[in-house]
Amino acid sequence: MSIDESDIPALARGCAILGTGGGGDVRTGSLAAVRAIRAYGEVPLVELADLPGDALVVPLSGIGAPTVGHEMIHGEDEPERVAEEVERLFGRPPSAIMSSEIGGSNGVAPVAWAARLGVPLLDADGMGRAFPEVQMVSMYVAGLPADLVIMSDIVGNVVTIRPIDGLWSERLARAVCVAAGSHALMADYVLTAGAARGAVIEGTVTRALEIGRATEGAADPLGALRDRLGAVRLITGKLTDVDRRTTGGFVRGAATIEGAGDERGRRLTVELQNENLVAVEDGAVRAMVPDLITIVDTETAAAVQTESLRYGQRVSVLAWPCDPLWRTPKGLETAGPRAFGYDLDYVPVEELTAHG
Amino acid sequence: MSIDESDIPALARGCAILGTGGGGDVRTGSLAAVRAIRAYGEVPLVELADLPGDALVVPLSGIGAPTVGHEMIHGEDEPERVAEEVERLFGRPPSAIMSSEIGGSNGVAPVAWAARLGVPLLDADGMGRAFPEVQMVSMYVAGLPADLVIMSDIVGNVVTIRPIDGLWSERLARAVCVAAGSHALMADYVLTAGAARGAVIEGTVTRALEIGRATEGAADPLGALRDRLGAVRLITGKLTDVDRRTTGGFVRGAATIEGAGDERGRRLTVELQNENLVAVEDGAVRAMVPDLITIVDTETAAAVQTESLRYGQRVSVLAWPCDPLWRTPKGLETAGPRAFGYDLDYVPVEELTAHG
């Protein structure tokens, strides 16, 4: 199949839901995708099994604070510069590109990047959601060496990092990102299709499209979305407190929702670092990273991204299980609660909400 | 000729004088040079005319705050990693290495790097002195595109920057340097010998050796040094105030010297950013960057580097003309007083001191 302009709204809605508040404003990626499809045509969506084993797959993402992600509109030849560097280093051009992060703008914008480069988009990503740090990708969890990062910024600089490990990859990429104006396009790993097997999360572009379509024309959008995700609803109410700071390339903060209707008197706090990380009620954790926690508009079931949180919004909070890869010991070490500084042992959302 | 262990003390003294207070502690470079010569043998010193036109010359320097430069001792295979990256990008290994900056540790340490790599050292550098920023090199002034920087840090990360210009080169390299622990080895430009003609300052390793030897056994070391440099002595006295802060990878501050003997009652202030930039007396500038200003011990005529400035030291301040390249319009734009934030039109030190 191919992705054309009519698919972009649903893809964007789905990616916003999977973004758990972060991953950049999907409107940025949508605008870029629509413009690129109009200019270069629709984008073939391919499965990993369709590619020869030595085909080069380039996982791409925008890196930087979501609140400045809209700058991405101004610089448009970043994908070409990354592709040139790939060809210079590997002696052949990319066969396909992949979203590093299906959640948020980084799930939609790759349609634009693929269109510009004239290559297919792989139906897969490196997270199945959004995460704030460079090393929090399935390739890292699968044990592939984090030995190459290529960054291209808005003004035209290209930086290639050969880090000794994923943590240095994050540290150096973040420093370059901040120096380059808090936003850059990044290829994190360059993979052969053979190496990608078992090291990427397959089918996630299709899944984002399905999530986005679940609420189209639904009588009960929130219920339809919850069913499609297999999610639990943690609370429905009103946003009464939003604390949000941008520091060192990250947005950090917390949002508090007070229950309405039958749920009056309840109070849920969602703590975030670009993405929503932990939901707490009465001192008890109701869901935690790497499981997904998304704040949605109660009426439309559209995701409310971190940068759009506003006092008084009528919202619901949904939580659902992450990809099984993140529940392995290496997955939890990489992106479990302790990776974000929480002194918490991971408990799956199904268990937390069954006993809550 | 070759550089052997017996040359290192004189080379280090000369490089410290040319460092104008900065360029890193020469003891670091000296120690590395002596150890490498003992392990790998003496280092041939070649002239540019000795190299074939397509020979690759790699200008190297340590980048970072001088006060943490001693960390360089712990990481020793940075040169090999830079050379590997050069070979990966150019398809052939370096034919020679060059000091990017003859002043300070970066004038001596290249002996160690050349010894480790088993290649000659070019009798030239990119400054004829020391400067604090990456783009302040003769190659930039000569109009060579600042299109490649390779950095290797202590832990083993390698970062390649393809900047759009020299200012972005500085901005990105500095960010990587700070993230990597405030010190890294850097190749700024990779040149063919053909391209290096007219774009490097030749003979400066030999000049540093001659400067270092000028004071050896001299009855009047300060006079001997002044004559060898063609310098004027701005003041002789006592260090009465030292203000020094390390911020963002730079040491900034000022040193005040009060005159002694016949010069009692005079007071000279030297302002610095890693290197000494401007000497001011009674509100009048007596010497300014890119001319060279060095504080020396009055008795031994040894340079006093920025990190060694101490209250009460008996010192003299010498100033002398920079290489003519720095007095061109592009040279002054790159490293003249305004490049360091001073609202001053450049006046050569000969004129300032003739009228002072």
Side-chain angles (χ1 to χ4, degrees):
Chain A
M1 70 163 280
S2 287
I3 296 179
D4 65 28
E5 187 177 336
S6 69
D7 296 315
I8 300 302
L11 179 62
R13 276 197 302 277
C15 290
I17 294 291
L18 292 171
T20 66
D25 188 333
V26 292
R27 291 171 298 185
T28 306
S30 298
L31 186 54
V34 167
R35 289 172 55 177
I37 288 171
R38 286 181 188 167
Y40 303 95
E42 58 187 38
V43 172
L45 187 68
V46 296
E47 293 180 40
L48 198 48
D50 297 337
L51 297 173
D54 65 348
L56 285 182
V57 174
V58 180
L60 289 175
S61 60
I63 171 175
T67 47
V68 294
H70 52 271
E71 287 182 333
M72 206 168 61
I73 295 170
H74 304 300
E76 292 200 317
D77 58 353
E78 292 96 327
E80 285 88 332
R81 287 196 302 272
V82 169
E84 281 164 18
E85 191 73 9
V86 167
E87 188 160 0
R88 180 154 39 209
L89 296 177
F90 291 85
R92 59 194 199 277
S95 293
I97 70 160
M98 181 183 94
S99 166
S100 297
E101 170 181 61
I102 195 70
S105 186
N106 280 324
V108 192
V111 174
W113 303 329
R116 287 189 67 91
L117 294 177
V119 300
L121 180 66
L122 186 64
D123 188 6
D125 83 305
M127 298 183 183
R129 48 164 295 157
F131 276 126
E133 297 187 12
V134 170
Q135 83 282 4
M136 294 173 171
V137 289
S138 56
M139 295 79 92
Y140 180 73
V141 176
L144 296 186
D147 55 6
L148 182 65
V149 171
I150 302 170
M151 299 177 72
S152 168
D153 69 20
I154 291 164
V155 299
N157 301 298
V158 176
V159 175
T160 300
I161 303 170
R162 297 185 183 278
I164 57 165
D165 61 28
L167 295 174
W168 276 102
S169 163
E170 161 63 24
R171 189 166 175 178
L172 294 169
R174 187 69 50 187
V176 169
C177 173
V178 170
S182 285
H183 200 84
L185 179 67
M186 178 176 67
D188 185 16
Y189 295 83
V190 173
L191 302 164
T192 63
R197 288 184 187 117
V200 300
I201 302 177
E202 297 194 55
T204 48
V205 177
T206 302
R207 176 161 161 80
L209 278 164
E210 290 169 353
I211 292 168
R213 286 182 182 133
T215 54
E216 278 176 0
D220 172 14
L222 184 62
L225 177 63
R226 189 196 54 212
D227 292 348
R228 165 60 66 179
L229 295 171
V232 293
R233 187 177 55 73
L234 298 181
I235 198 167
T236 289
K238 193 173 80 166
L239 255 174
T240 56
D241 194 58
V242 181
D243 165 28
R244 205 169 31 197
R245 306 168 300 283
T246 301
T247 52
F250 289 114
V251 178
R252 297 172 198 270
T256 301
I257 298 100
E258 295 195 358
D262 292 353
E263 299 171 28
R264 188 171 305 273
R266 290 180 50 202
R267 181 190 175 93
L268 184 86
T269 297
V270 177
E271 301 186 16
L272 59 94
Q273 177 186 333
N274 287 14
E275 283 72 46
N276 303 321
L277 297 179
V278 173
V280 182
E281 181 173 356
D282 287 336
V285 175
R286 307 273 328 271
M288 69 178 89
V289 69
D291 288 330
L292 293 85
I293 303 166
T294 290
I295 302 173
V296 301
D297 180 282
T298 299
E299 192 179 342
T300 66
V304 181
Q305 292 191 280
T306 298
E307 64 264 43
S308 302
L309 294 169
R310 298 282 179 278
Y311 174 84
Q313 280 173 307
R314 308 290 162 157
V315 298
S316 295
V317 180
L318 300 178
W320 66 101
C322 61
D323 189 271
L325 171 118
W326 295 114
R327 294 180 168 185
T328 63
K330 182 83 182 286
L332 289 171
E333 182 196 316
T334 304
R338 291 184 198 282
F340 295 92
Y342 289 97
D343 187 21
L344 290 173
D345 291 321
Y346 172 72
V347 182
V349 62
E350 310 90 285
E351 293 179 32
L352 286 171
T353 48
H355 299 286
Chain B
M1 68 164 280
S2 288
I3 297 179
D4 65 27
E5 187 177 336
S6 69
D7 297 313
I8 299 304
L11 180 61
R13 275 197 305 274
C15 291
I17 294 291
L18 292 171
T20 67
D25 189 332
V26 293
R27 289 172 299 185
T28 307
S30 298
L31 186 55
V34 167
R35 289 171 54 178
I37 288 171
R38 286 182 188 167
Y40 303 96
E42 59 186 32
V43 172
L45 187 67
V46 296
E47 293 180 41
L48 198 48
D50 297 338
L51 296 173
D54 65 347
L56 285 182
V57 175
V58 180
L60 289 175
S61 61
I63 173 176
T67 47
V68 294
H70 52 271
E71 286 181 335
M72 208 168 58
I73 296 169
H74 304 302
E76 292 199 319
D77 58 354
E78 292 97 326
E80 286 88 333
R81 286 196 304 271
V82 169
E84 282 165 17
E85 192 72 8
V86 167
E87 188 160 1
R88 179 154 40 206
L89 297 177
F90 291 84
R92 58 194 199 278
S95 294
I97 71 159
M98 182 183 93
S99 167
S100 297
E101 172 181 57
I102 195 69
S105 186
N106 280 323
V108 191
V111 174
W113 304 329
R116 287 189 67 91
L117 294 177
V119 300
L121 180 66
L122 186 64
D123 187 5
D125 83 307
M127 299 186 184
R129 46 165 296 159
F131 276 126
E133 299 188 11
V134 169
Q135 83 282 6
M136 295 173 171
V137 288
S138 56
M139 295 79 92
Y140 180 72
V141 176
L144 296 186
D147 56 6
L148 182 65
V149 171
I150 303 169
M151 299 176 71
S152 168
D153 68 19
I154 292 164
V155 300
N157 301 296
V158 176
V159 175
T160 300
I161 303 172
R162 296 184 184 278
I164 57 165
D165 61 28
L167 296 174
W168 276 103
S169 162
E170 161 63 24
R171 189 166 175 179
L172 294 168
R174 188 69 48 187
V176 169
C177 173
V178 170
S182 284
H183 201 85
L185 180 67
M186 178 176 67
D188 185 14
Y189 296 83
V190 174
L191 302 164
T192 63
R197 286 181 190 120
V200 301
I201 303 178
E202 297 193 55
T204 48
V205 176
T206 302
R207 175 160 161 80
L209 278 164
E210 289 168 353
I211 292 168
R213 285 181 182 134
T215 53
E216 277 177 2
D220 171 16
L222 184 60
L225 177 63
R226 190 195 55 212
D227 292 347
R228 164 60 67 183
L229 294 172
V232 293
R233 187 178 54 73
L234 298 182
I235 198 166
T236 289
K238 193 173 81 167
L239 255 173
T240 56
D241 193 57
V242 180
D243 166 28
R244 205 170 29 197
R245 306 169 300 282
T246 299
T247 52
F250 290 114
V251 179
R252 296 173 199 271
T256 300
I257 298 100
E258 296 195 357
D262 291 351
E263 299 170 28
R264 187 171 307 275
R266 290 179 51 202
R267 182 188 173 93
L268 185 87
T269 298
V270 177
E271 301 186 16
L272 59 95
Q273 178 186 333
N274 286 15
E275 283 72 45
N276 303 322
L277 297 179
V278 173
V280 181
E281 181 173 355
D282 286 336
V285 175
R286 307 274 329 272
M288 69 178 90
V289 69
D291 289 329
L292 293 85
I293 303 165
T294 291
I295 302 172
V296 301
D297 181 282
T298 298
E299 191 180 344
T300 64
V304 181
Q305 292 191 280
T306 298
E307 64 263 43
S308 301
L309 295 168
R310 298 283 179 277
Y311 174 85
Q313 280 174 306
R314 308 289 162 157
V315 298
S316 296
V317 180
L318 300 179
W320 67 101
C322 61
D323 189 271
L325 172 118
W326 294 114
R327 293 181 171 187
T328 63
K330 182 82 182 289
L332 289 172
E333 182 196 315
T334 305
R338 292 185 198 283
F340 294 94
Y342 289 97
D343 188 20
L344 290 174
D345 292 320
Y346 172 71
V347 181
V349 62
E350 309 90 284
E351 294 180 31
L352 287 171
T353 48
H355 299 284

